[in-house]
Amino acid sequence: MAAFLREIAALIRNSNAQAIAQRLQLSSTDSPKRQYVDSLSSKSYQAANTECERQVSGDWAEVVCHSCLAASAVKQAKLDEACKHQEAAVEAFLRVFKTLTRAWLPVFYALLVDLRKIASDADAQAREADGGVPNESGCLEAAGRVMRKCLAQELRDEDNDKSICRSWGALFVANQCNKIFFRLNTLKHVKSLVLPTMVSIDEYPLADRVTWRFFQGRVAMLDGMHDKAEADLSFAFNNTPPAHAHNRRVVLCYLIPVRLLLYQNKPSPTRRAAIPTQELLEKYKLPEFKDLVRAFVTGNVMLFDEALEEHMDFFVGRSIYLLLHKLKLCVYRNLFKRAYNVEKKSQVKLDVFVAAVRACGCKDVEPEQVECMLANLIFSGMVKGYIAHKQKTVVLKKDDPFRTVG
């Protein structure tokens, strides 16, 4: 059983951080580790730590001990206990990390990722045991506090040269925080994350920047900053390798609504790419958007409402339902444009637009509702003209009354 501990001790002496990270992570397939973890099932922390200290010195013994005890607790489905051990492993590593450089970041990353995963599973287990009631002081929240501490204190490395400083791990840690805070829906913490100034955001590894920009785009989307959201989400999508289709699909879930909304607010022939093709939706397995996009383009109000209703759980779960609902104004605009193209006159009777809405399946719509919708479109600048209320006529500008949408 001591073979694993001797192996870890040798790797520490040789400063082989990558190999240590691979052996400490939960998914490790290292045979000596599996045997050692199995041997811990009936041992106390004191006994396990004493055994570790015979082979591994100082705080490293606590790192290895708590990490392996966490793995043992996971095997026994004691996830709350596993989470506490993993937190202790991170805390112990932080004490070691103060004297190390960025070369040891792989170990730090492995411990943090496992902490987030264990904490998430522990909370899910607790909710299931409590009949679906969320735990107010859950493991994931505690893990978030640990990671915020890491970001705020331990990664502000001013003692080492920039090329070897620990601050290079800040963006990775911030991304782990983002994953936790979005899961807990505590977005106030997302906005409070501050990165060390020693390293510029553009100097971090591309993978970390892609994840960071993805979360920043989601925050901007929720804050109504749609131009920034499009820029961040586009960066995330364009810099995610095509082989990572799942990650691209996740980005598209937010990028599609943002671009459609920008089309509605700022129509332009140069924004053609905002409307996703059916081929794109099929490629990334996003059938939830198919009818929605088709209704948006054709102005089919009833199909748009049905698509929103059918996939409400999908949209609500991603916090994009209200954003998509705002597109309805543009759906009416596209419908009215089709009616205008049939009439080809600058003065169109209100009844023509009422008939167009009813033809889409909205049989019970009243003329007053349609007039109100037209007034909103004119007020927003999406239709150029005015309503002659007494004559029940819409007087449209002769030159391009409907702003061009790709």
Side-chain angles (χ1 to χ4, degrees):
M1 301 304 175
F4 170 71
L5 297 178
R6 287 195 296 269
E7 183 182 19
I8 288 290
L11 292 173
I12 293 172
R13 287 193 298 271
N14 295 329
S15 298
N16 193 338
Q18 195 67 50
I20 295 172
Q22 291 172 354
R23 283 159 178 76
L24 289 185
Q25 62 189 9
L26 280 175
S27 59
S28 172
T29 57
D30 184 60
S31 180
K33 183 193 176 178
R34 290 204 307 270
Q35 294 175 12
Y36 179 67
V37 168
D38 289 341
S39 73
L40 295 175
S41 59
S42 58
K43 290 182 181 179
S44 65
Y45 163 71
Q46 288 77 11
N49 192 50
T50 300
E51 188 174 2
C52 282
E53 287 178 337
R54 294 195 188 109
Q55 303 292 337
V56 185
S57 61
D59 290 319
W60 272 111
E62 282 194 54
V63 174
V64 176
C65 178
H66 281 296
S67 176
C68 292
L69 283 171
S72 176
V74 168
K75 289 192 70 173
Q76 300 174 68
K78 299 176 180 178
L79 298 183
D80 188 66
E81 179 183 330
C83 191
K84 292 176 182 176
H85 280 301
Q86 193 68 18
E87 280 185 35
V90 171
E91 296 279 5
F93 181 77
L94 288 177
R95 294 194 293 273
V96 177
F97 197 36
K98 288 179 180 179
T99 61
L100 302 176
T101 65
R102 66 181 292 192
W104 291 88
L105 283 172
V107 180
F108 192 37
Y109 293 169
L111 293 173
L112 289 182
V113 170
D114 282 344
L115 173 59
R116 177 177 57 81
K117 291 180 178 178
I118 293 171
S120 179
D121 291 343
D123 281 356
Q125 185 184 65
R127 281 195 300 272
E128 185 177 350
D130 294 340
V133 179
N135 190 342
E136 292 184 0
S137 57
C139 293
L140 202 56
E141 187 175 340
R145 286 195 295 270
V146 171
M147 292 188 191
R148 286 181 72 191
K149 175 186 174 183
C150 295
L151 187 62
Q153 299 174 15
E154 309 303 338
L155 292 174
R156 299 192 180 282
D157 183 5
E158 298 176 356
D159 299 328
N160 290 311
D161 182 76
K162 179 179 177 180
S163 62
I164 61 171
C165 72
R166 299 186 298 275
S167 297
W168 286 99
L171 196 59
F172 181 91
V173 178
N175 287 331
Q176 296 303 309
C177 290
N178 279 328
K179 291 178 181 180
I180 289 175
F181 298 150
F182 269 92
R183 183 72 176 268
L184 295 174
N185 198 27
T186 52
L187 300 187
K188 61 180 181 180
H189 295 323
V190 174
K191 298 177 183 179
S192 69
L193 295 176
V194 180
L195 299 173
T197 57
M198 195 168 187
V199 181
S200 167
I201 188 73
D202 295 325
E203 294 180 284
Y204 287 102
L206 180 60
D208 290 341
R209 283 188 284 136
V210 165
T211 306
W212 175 258
R213 293 286 293 272
F214 167 68
F215 285 114
Q216 290 296 298
R218 289 182 62 184
V219 171
M221 180 193 77
L222 293 171
D223 286 345
M225 302 166 62
H226 301 127
D227 286 309
K228 184 181 185 309
E230 184 192 25
D232 286 333
L233 292 170
S234 294
F235 178 91
F237 181 80
N238 293 331
N239 288 281
T240 299
H244 296 179
H246 172 74
N247 291 347
R248 283 191 148 204
R249 178 182 183 272
V250 172
V251 177
L252 281 175
C253 286
Y254 303 96
L255 184 56
I256 289 173
V258 167
R259 283 189 167 175
L260 288 177
L261 193 66
L262 283 176
Y263 260 171
Q264 171 176 294
N265 296 337
K266 301 178 181 179
S268 165
T270 62
R271 286 182 173 271
R272 293 181 185 277
I275 300 177
T277 63
Q278 295 297 311
E279 291 76 16
L280 180 78
L281 298 178
E282 289 175 4
K283 178 180 178 180
Y284 290 105
K285 299 178 181 178
L286 288 169
E288 297 85 0
F289 287 98
K290 279 189 175 182
D291 287 342
L292 198 76
V293 171
R294 189 181 300 116
F296 179 84
V297 173
T298 60
N300 192 327
V301 181
M302 189 171 185
L303 180 62
F304 184 84
D305 288 340
E306 289 175 350
L308 272 182
E309 181 69 25
E310 181 181 356
H311 304 293
M312 181 184 291
D313 291 343
F314 178 87
F315 298 138
V316 170
R318 287 154 183 79
S319 302
I320 57 176
Y321 179 81
L322 293 178
L323 191 70
L324 290 169
H325 200 273
K326 292 179 181 179
L327 298 174
K328 193 169 182 178
L329 191 65
C330 198
V331 177
Y332 275 107
R333 171 216 169 275
N334 292 339
L335 174 62
F336 295 153
K337 183 179 180 180
R338 292 178 65 190
Y340 164 76
N341 288 337
V342 172
E343 291 290 306
K344 296 188 181 299
K345 296 187 300 184
S346 60
Q347 296 187 19
V348 183
K349 287 293 185 182
L350 182 62
D351 289 343
V352 172
F353 295 119
V354 173
V357 175
R358 288 175 177 171
C360 287
C362 303
K363 304 294 185 182
D364 299 330
V365 70
E366 297 294 333
E368 290 79 9
Q369 294 174 280
V370 176
E371 185 176 352
C372 182
M373 189 59 64
L374 281 163
N376 285 332
L377 288 167
I378 293 170
F379 177 78
S380 65
M382 297 174 69
V383 175
K384 300 174 184 177
Y386 63 91
I387 300 173
H389 180 71
K390 289 184 179 180
Q391 289 77 24
K392 295 185 179 180
T393 300
V394 181
V395 182
L396 299 167
K397 186 178 179 181
K398 291 183 180 180
D399 181 24
D400 190 23
F402 293 83
R403 292 164 61 189
T404 303
V405 177

